Amino acid sequence: TRLYFSLLPGWAVLAGLGAAGLSRIRFGRVRVRRLVHVLVGLTLALGAIQTAVDMLRSRPMAPILGIESEGDYRLRNLSAYELAMRGIAALPEGRRVLMLWEPRAFECWPRCSPDAWIDQWYVSRRTLPSTEAIAAAWEDDGYTDVLVNVDGMSYVRANDSRYAGRDWDELDRLLASLPVSATFGEGYRMLRLP
């Protein structure tokens, strides 16, 4: 969704033009302009309430005030992702991690490379002839481990029609051939490249 932020100014202009056009319409004694203003105000109020509730729930001031450590705050809000980042930080010097279906690289860059466009496996399958070649190319690029976002992989598997069944079969074969060095909750698995 972050990629749509660049469209927000255009949508704001369109919404303003739409509201201006609607304000000229009347249904009997009812002015549509007032209804539009009430709906916009209600939407903004509900959005503000939701934001306030989310802030209270996540307690962002706790680490600033020293009530909670930054690590505990991240663990509470990011759960398994934070555990995976701690696992990457604990790896011996010289180890590099390639992430699959995980676009975030908080706390681990440059030791890890995120899958920013969620297409690392797709591109690898289209440019290299086999899973052995994919693993060898990753090793040649300096990676020693692969971190798989299991939930992200499952989501893409269920919703992305670009992949063929063979792509998933090959991925399953590759992941089965790599030893699991760590799991972080149910959401992340770290595999060691041979």
Side-chain angles (χ1 to χ4, degrees):
T1 57
R2 67 187 185 279
L3 301 177
Y4 293 118
F5 286 154
S6 62
L7 300 176
L8 289 178
W11 287 342
V13 169
L14 289 175
L17 291 172
L22 283 174
S23 68
R24 291 187 219 120
I25 299 173
R26 291 183 81 160
F27 292 114
R29 303 188 90 196
V30 177
R31 292 184 186 158
V32 175
R33 179 173 136 184
R34 287 190 179 169
L35 287 175
V36 169
H37 288 174
V38 167
L39 288 174
V40 168
L42 185 63
T43 302
L44 291 173
L46 291 174
I49 290 169
Q50 180 65 43
T51 300
V53 168
D54 288 345
M55 279 188 61
L56 289 173
R57 192 176 294 146
S58 69
R59 298 186 336 231
M61 295 303 290
I64 293 169
L65 297 173
I67 299 168
E68 178 179 41
S69 72
E70 288 182 24
D72 289 344
Y73 172 78
R74 286 192 311 268
L75 183 61
R76 184 169 44 81
N77 285 285
L78 300 173
S79 58
Y81 176 80
E82 175 64 16
L83 293 174
M85 294 305 100
R86 290 178 183 184
I88 291 173
L91 289 173
E93 190 66 34
R95 302 262 297 268
R96 287 192 59 225
V97 179
L98 175 67
M99 300 165 123
L100 295 179
W101 296 286
E102 179 53 66
R104 301 173 290 182
F106 309 137
E107 302 295 321
C108 71
W109 193 84
R111 293 187 73 183
C112 68
S113 296
D115 192 355
W117 297 103
I118 314 291
D119 67 349
Q120 179 66 50
W121 178 248
Y122 182 81
V123 170
S124 294
R125 279 287 295 154
R126 298 304 177 270
T127 57
L128 297 165
S130 67
T131 55
E132 292 80 12
I134 291 170
W138 290 347
E139 283 184 86
D140 290 344
D141 288 341
Y143 297 108
T144 58
D145 299 87
V146 176
L147 180 72
V148 178
N149 179 341
V150 177
D151 294 333
M153 177 181 66
S154 298
Y155 179 82
V156 170
R157 187 180 288 217
N159 295 293
D160 194 339
S161 60
R162 295 179 303 162
Y163 292 90
R166 238 174 324 153
D167 295 329
W168 297 114
D169 294 340
E170 290 298 313
L171 175 68
D172 291 338
R173 191 168 73 81
L174 175 64
L175 296 181
S177 71
L178 300 175
V180 176
S181 58
T183 57
F184 308 100
E186 294 180 16
Y188 293 91
R189 280 188 298 180
M190 178 105 64
L191 303 125
R192 177 81 183 193
L193 287 168

